[in-house]
Every structure is written in structure tokens, then in C-alpha cells.
Amino acid sequence: MTSNTYHFEGKVVIVTGGGTGIGRAVTRAFLDNGATVVAVGRRQAPLDETVAGYERGHTHITDVSSHEQVAELVNSVVEEFGHLDVVVSNAGVFEGGEVEHVSDEVWHKLFSVNLDGLFYLTKEALPHLIKSHGNIVVDTSVSGLRGDWGQTAYNSTKHAMNGFVRCVALDYGAKGVRVNAFAPGFIETDINKEVWTDPERVKPYLDRVALGRTGRAEDCAGIALFLASDDAAYLTGLVVPVDGGTTAATGQGRNS
Ligand code: ADP
């Protein structure tokens, strides 16, 4: 549960990747703050778990790398609820590897989910967001702000996503649509559990975090709510790191 209260009563929100980690926390945060939320993913069971107990929580099976499926998602949400106010683009995939070891298949998979998915969702949602003066919040990554070792494909998708956010923000600001991103650093989720539960393995990450702890999905949910809220009415084109201060550093090693 995030500590601030926002007023999303009557608002309709789509959250992609809503069945796990950050997407689940974001979905529940919007539900806790009055919104009607459609949690989107490829598997039904985790989505059902996310919205269990919430009357305003709905689910929709969509592969965001399919333009056809994303169009069907947006159309069916608008048909059912009458309008669309906020889109949280959070679905994504990760694979590591130095560039010589990245297969064409992995390269294209990462771009088709992370970047094409964002493009399809934005393109389909924009006509409705223009009508509602709504906004888009994108879960990118600190990997879209600086380089990473062994993550060329993923890092490239995230840089492209941050560029996309800034460009769409420029083009649609005059039409009343805001577009912002939050860029998580190391966030504790099921996928990286074996790292953050192991003091030895998590140490190199913590050495780079000013706040001295790994992040939690709720840390991201708080910023997603804020960016989508009227309190952020004059903010667009931002990429906000949620990284405990990791990107505050130059990247030079620590010597004290
Ligand atoms: P986190 O939960 O920390 O954001 P994940 O990588 O687990 O990290 O989250 C990505 C989410 O996106 C997951 O819920 C995953 O199932 C979802 N996802 C991945 N690929 C697709 C896709 N093609 N279409 C829809 N959702 C997807």
C-alpha cells in the first residue's frame, strides 16, 4: 500500500504486465485509490491474483507484441467502460548477453515486446486519451539512462523507450496528453529473488545505491500514481529514476 491518497475515482486505467512484480503493485495502487483498472498480461492466473478482492479490478489477456491484440484490448476497454484515462505500459522482457552472443531471435523478441508493444499501445490509446485529457506512464529502466555490462539488447530497448516517451510528450502536449516514465533501478521481484535474498550476490548492487537498500515494487507504484495524478499536471516528458540514487553517481568507482 502506498501512503499518499490520490483521487482516481471514475478513471479507467490499463496496466500491462499487471500479473507480476511492479505491474501488480501499480495495479493495486490504482485500485486502492479509486480507479477502475484493467490488468493485462498473457496468463490469466497471475492477473486474477492481482485483482482478487477488488470489485473495480478487471483482467484482459493480451500479447503486447501483437498490434492486433493491443487494438482489440483498447477497443474493448473503451467499449465496456466508455473512456480511457491512464495507460501504464509496464510489460517487458529481459535477456542478457554480450552482443556477439545475442541471437537475432532474442534481439527481435526484446524489441518486439519492449518497444513495439509500447508503440502499439500508445498509438491505439492516444485517440481516447486526447478525448479524456489522459496520460501515459511508462515503466522503463535505469538501463535506458546509462550503459550496462552484458545487457546490450535490453539496454538498447530501454534507451529507445525513453526517447519514445520524450518525443510523444512533445507531440501530444498541446493536445492535453501527458507522457512520463519512471526508470526503476534494482527492484526486488520474484524474478531476481535469488540475488536480493543473497547478501553476497546483492552486495555489488547495493554498493552503487546511495540509499543502501534495494527497491520495492511499491516504490515504483508510488511514482506511477503521482505521475498519473493531477498533482503532476505540469509534468510531461520526464524519465524519473526510481533507483535509490544509483544514477546520481558518475559511475566512477567509490574510494571512500
Ligand atoms: P517486473 O514485474 O519487475 O516489472 P517482469 O519482467 O516480471 O518485471 O515484468 C514484466 C511483465 O510483463 C510480466 O508480468 C510479464 O508477464 C509481462 N509480459 C512480458 N511479455 C509480455 C507480452 N508479450 N505481453 C504482455 N505481457 C508481457
Side-chain angles (χ1 to χ4, degrees):
M1 188 96 174
T2 50
S3 54
N4 280 323
T5 302
Y6 294 96
H7 297 285
F8 287 101
E9 289 83 5
K11 303 287 186 194
V12 176
V13 181
I14 289 175
V15 180
T16 66
T20 61
I22 295 171
R24 171 171 285 177
V26 169
T27 298
R28 288 179 177 164
F30 275 103
L31 287 166
D32 288 335
N33 285 270
T36 293
V37 185
V38 181
V40 175
R42 289 163 307 168
R43 290 172 303 138
Q44 191 62 47
L47 295 173
D48 284 343
E49 203 182 319
T50 295
V51 301
Y54 289 98
E55 216 172 287
R56 285 172 279 96
H58 305 264
T59 65
H60 199 102
I61 297 294
T62 306
D63 180 342
V64 299
S65 66
S66 157
H67 196 156
E68 206 183 341
Q69 289 186 33
V70 172
E72 190 274 327
L73 161 72
V74 172
N75 289 336
S76 72
V77 168
V78 174
E79 203 167 292
E80 185 170 355
F81 301 105
H83 53 101
L84 176 62
D85 303 284
V86 177
V87 170
V88 182
S89 181
N90 161 78
V93 283
F94 173 84
E95 290 216 27
E98 292 168 6
V99 69
E100 284 176 291
H101 306 292
V102 177
S103 66
D104 292 8
E105 195 192 354
V106 164
W107 179 266
H108 292 303
K109 185 178 93 182
L110 292 183
F111 272 86
S112 74
V113 178
N114 297 359
L115 189 62
D116 297 357
L118 173 60
F119 166 60
Y120 300 147
L121 189 60
T122 303
K123 192 169 174 176
E124 294 303 324
L126 270 169
H128 306 290
L129 297 175
I130 290 168
K131 276 191 210 150
S132 65
H133 283 189
N135 70 85
I136 301 173
V137 177
V138 185
D139 177 359
T140 65
S141 171
V142 289
S143 298
L145 298 171
R146 310 269 195 281
D148 290 296
W149 279 272
Q151 297 185 17
T152 303
Y154 177 78
N155 187 292
S156 299
T157 68
K158 294 294 168 176
H159 273 79
M161 289 169 71
N162 284 337
F164 182 92
V165 164
R166 294 177 178 119
C167 293
V168 180
L170 291 178
D171 287 343
Y172 286 87
K175 293 186 171 143
V177 178
R178 300 185 298 106
V179 189
N180 292 293
F182 63 92
F186 192 113
I187 303 294
E188 298 174 1
T189 62
D190 287 345
I191 276 169
N192 55 21
K193 197 167 187 171
E194 71 285 0
V195 180
W196 56 267
T197 53
D198 179 343
E200 280 299 303
R201 287 191 64 187
V202 80
K203 189 176 178 308
Y205 292 94
L206 290 183
D207 283 348
R208 302 279 172 154
V209 183
L211 293 178
R213 67 163 174 89
T214 45
R216 298 179 193 111
E218 288 69 23
D219 293 317
C220 296
I223 193 75
L225 278 184
F226 168 69
L227 289 172
S229 77
D230 289 343
D231 287 358
Y234 200 52
L235 303 185
T236 197
L238 285 186
V239 179
V240 183
V242 187
D243 66 353
T246 304
T247 53
T250 60
Q252 297 186 93
R254 190 172 168 168
N255 61 7
S256 64

